[in-house]
């Protein structure tokens, strides 16, 4: 069963119940494009695997509607669109993303993710989180700030934390990257070193000749089936180990 619910009288979220007894619970955080149909489909896939899944809408009230996001995605990624039009789309993208770059937004969003965690923790013994791009970043963030978290699976997310902060992570972390995603790949060696120093159970999987957002099968320009299928299989194995034990 799937439905939209409201948490704390203001946070909209997509809740999917598995057909049988849940094998654990999972927060699914969308990309920077918002709670689009693709994210709901991913939530449905996890529910079909036996998990109670909650996918919050963290960006609609910041002006990032799915319709506008789809328009900008096409301008940025469609190879048939001229470079001039792509360049013209950059200011639109900066305007679109400006509201989410403040410290206030980050703090508010983390609190909302914690609300999601508390909701699921009241219903399941173990709760994990996964997220993509924007969502991967907040998967890392919840791992730093929630000691009860059972596991974290960030897809191409940023983890801009100091070693002292990383030491707060008690959950195992499985993180996925594409080798051509330069902004993240430049930081990965230092992150691996910092995670090791902090004593975190951290595994990074990097797919060769693969870029950002490779898991998103609704974006024909960036989707990479082999990497998506392999990361899905690894995620399910990881979650089964950490949530169903």
């Amino acid at each position: 069963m799937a439905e939209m619910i409201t948490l704390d009288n203001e946070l909209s979220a997509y809740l999917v119940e598995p057909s049988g007894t849940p094998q654990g619970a999972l927060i699914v955080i969308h990309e920077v494009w918002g709670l689009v149909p693709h994210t709901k489909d991913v939530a449905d896939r996890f529910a079909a695997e036996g998990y109670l899944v909650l996918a919050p809408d963290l960006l609609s009230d910041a002006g990032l509607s799915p319709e506008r996001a789809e328009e900008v995605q096409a301008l940025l990624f469609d190879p048939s669109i001229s470079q001039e039009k792509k360049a013209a789309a950059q200011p639109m993208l900066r305007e679109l993303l400006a509201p989410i770059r403040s410290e206030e937004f980050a703090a508010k969003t983390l609190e909302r993710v914690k609300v999601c965690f508390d909701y699921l923790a009241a219903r399941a013994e173990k709760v994990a989180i996964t997220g993509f791009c924007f969502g991967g970043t907040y998967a890392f963030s919840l791992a730093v700030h929630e000691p009860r978290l059972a596991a974290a699976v960030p897809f191409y997310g940023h983890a801009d934390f100091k070693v002292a902060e990383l030491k707060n992570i008690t959950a195992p972390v499985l993180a996925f990257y594409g080798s051509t995603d330069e902004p993240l790949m430049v930081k990965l060696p230092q992150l691996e070193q910092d995670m090791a120093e902090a004593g975190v159970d951290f595994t990074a999987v990097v797919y060769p000749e693969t870029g950002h957002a490779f898991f998103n099968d609704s974006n024909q320009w960036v989707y990479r089936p082999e990497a998506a299928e392999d990361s899905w299989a690894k995620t399910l194995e990881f979650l089964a180990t950490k949530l169903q034990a």
Side-chain angles (χ1 to χ4, degrees), residues 5-43:
I5 65 171
T6 302
L7 304 176
D8 270 13
N9 298 315
E10 57 93 24
L11 177 60
S12 179
Y14 181 68
L15 176 68
V16 197
E17 307 261 1
S19 58
T21 302
Q23 300 300 309
L26 181 67
I27 304 168
V28 175
I29 308 292
H30 53 67
E31 293 182 312
V32 75
W33 313 115
L35 186 59
V36 296
H38 167 71
T39 307
K40 293 180 179 180
D41 177 64
V42 172

Side-chain angles (χ1 to χ4, degrees), residues 3-4 14 17 25 61 88 96 99 124 127 130 135 143 150 154-155 190 195 215 242:
E3 62 179 327
M4 293 299 298
Y14 181 68
E17 307 261 1
D61 60 358
L96 196 66
V127 181
T130 188
F155 281 72
Q190 185 63 55
M195 286 287 195
F215 190 82
K242 305 308 178 185

Side-chain angles (χ1 to χ4, degrees), residues 5-8 11 13 15 25-29 52-56 108-129 142-143 145-150:
I5 65 171
T6 302
L7 304 176
D8 270 13
L11 177 60
L15 176 68
L26 181 67
I27 304 168
V28 175
I29 308 292
L52 174 65
V53 185
L54 188 67
K108 178 180 179 181
T109 301
L110 176 59
E111 289 306 312
R112 286 175 156 185
V113 177
K114 287 180 178 179
V115 167
C116 294
F117 179 90
D118 288 340
Y119 174 85
L120 291 177
R123 300 190 54 185
E125 182 178 350
K126 295 184 178 181
V127 181
I129 188 170
L142 186 66
H145 293 94
E146 177 48 73
R148 296 173 293 165
L149 188 68

Side-chain angles (χ1 to χ4, degrees), residues 62 97-110 134 138:
L97 300 183
I100 73 173
R101 288 177 170 157
S102 69
E103 292 183 3
E104 292 79 9
F105 176 86
K108 178 180 179 181
T109 301
L110 176 59
F134 168 89
Y138 280 96

